[in-house]
Amino acid sequence: LEVMSKSVFQTGISWKVVETKWPGIRDAMHEFDPEALSELNPTDLDELTKDTRVIRNRRKLEAIVSNATRMLELEEQHESFRGYLGSHDGFEGTVTDLRKQFRFLGDMGAFHFLYVVGEEVPSYEDWCASRGRTPCT
């Protein structure tokens, strides 16, 4: 959940800003414990939007809580989250379903998430080419 949440926070924001604030974000977000986050209520989210340690975007905070809940549901359905990831037909199927299941997780965020958690992904250059993008250097 932490890796996925970092992708959520980085959407539309400088990665450097996210990285600088990350220790405070981790602390405020219960170390990204899915069970703890899934129990947050609207009042808890109101408090987080006032917490200077986090990026106080209410929609992103709500997305992370929703993603924690969804992650727990998928773990239960597939016996583990890794089991969920392996239940798709290849990389593209996994990316498509991740984007459908999780809020604020776009194409690049899904690629980054899968790469960081050790799932098989195409090379960055091949991935960029498949999407008509020029690789960042």
Side-chain angles (χ1 to χ4, degrees), residues 20-52:
T20 300
K21 292 185 79 83
W22 201 248
I25 292 169
R26 285 190 87 241
D27 187 47
M29 301 296 288
H30 305 280
E31 307 294 320
F32 293 97
D33 175 356
E35 290 180 11
L37 287 175
S38 70
E39 294 174 3
L40 296 183
N41 60 44
T43 302
D44 297 325
L45 285 168
D46 289 341
E47 291 302 313
L48 278 173
T49 63
K50 298 173 190 170
D51 190 329
T52 58

Side-chain angles (χ1 to χ4, degrees), residues 8-87:
V8 168
F9 279 122
Q10 289 172 333
T11 301
I13 296 177
S14 163
W15 288 29
K16 185 175 182 175
V17 169
V18 174
E19 199 60 41
T20 300
K21 292 185 79 83
W22 201 248
I25 292 169
R26 285 190 87 241
D27 187 47
M29 301 296 288
H30 305 280
E31 307 294 320
F32 293 97
D33 175 356
E35 290 180 11
L37 287 175
S38 70
E39 294 174 3
L40 296 183
N41 60 44
T43 302
D44 297 325
L45 285 168
D46 289 341
E47 291 302 313
L48 278 173
T49 63
K50 298 173 190 170
D51 190 329
T52 58
R53 296 174 298 169
V54 302
I55 295 167
R56 296 171 286 170
N57 180 309
R58 175 74 181 227
R59 291 179 54 223
K60 288 184 179 190
L61 295 170
E62 289 171 346
I64 290 168
V65 170
S66 172
N67 290 348
T69 301
R70 189 65 189 132
M71 186 173 274
L72 291 170
E73 293 167 351
L74 290 168
E75 281 181 357
E76 187 174 318
Q77 291 171 13
H78 296 273
E79 299 182 11
S80 69
F81 195 72
R82 191 71 64 187
Y84 157 72
L85 292 174
S87 69

Side-chain angles (χ1 to χ4, degrees), residues 89-135:
D89 187 24
F91 171 77
E92 292 298 338
T94 305
V95 168
T96 298
D97 199 58
L98 280 169
R99 293 187 66 198
K100 183 170 43 168
Q101 299 289 344
F102 296 98
R103 294 173 53 191
F104 267 95
L105 192 65
D107 209 33
M108 180 64 185
F111 174 86
H112 179 259
F113 169 74
L114 292 170
Y115 175 79
V116 172
V117 301
E119 289 293 308
E120 190 171 324
V121 299
S123 72
Y124 176 65
E125 294 75 19
D126 288 346
W127 177 81
C128 286
S130 74
R131 280 143 176 87
R133 295 176 138 184
T134 303

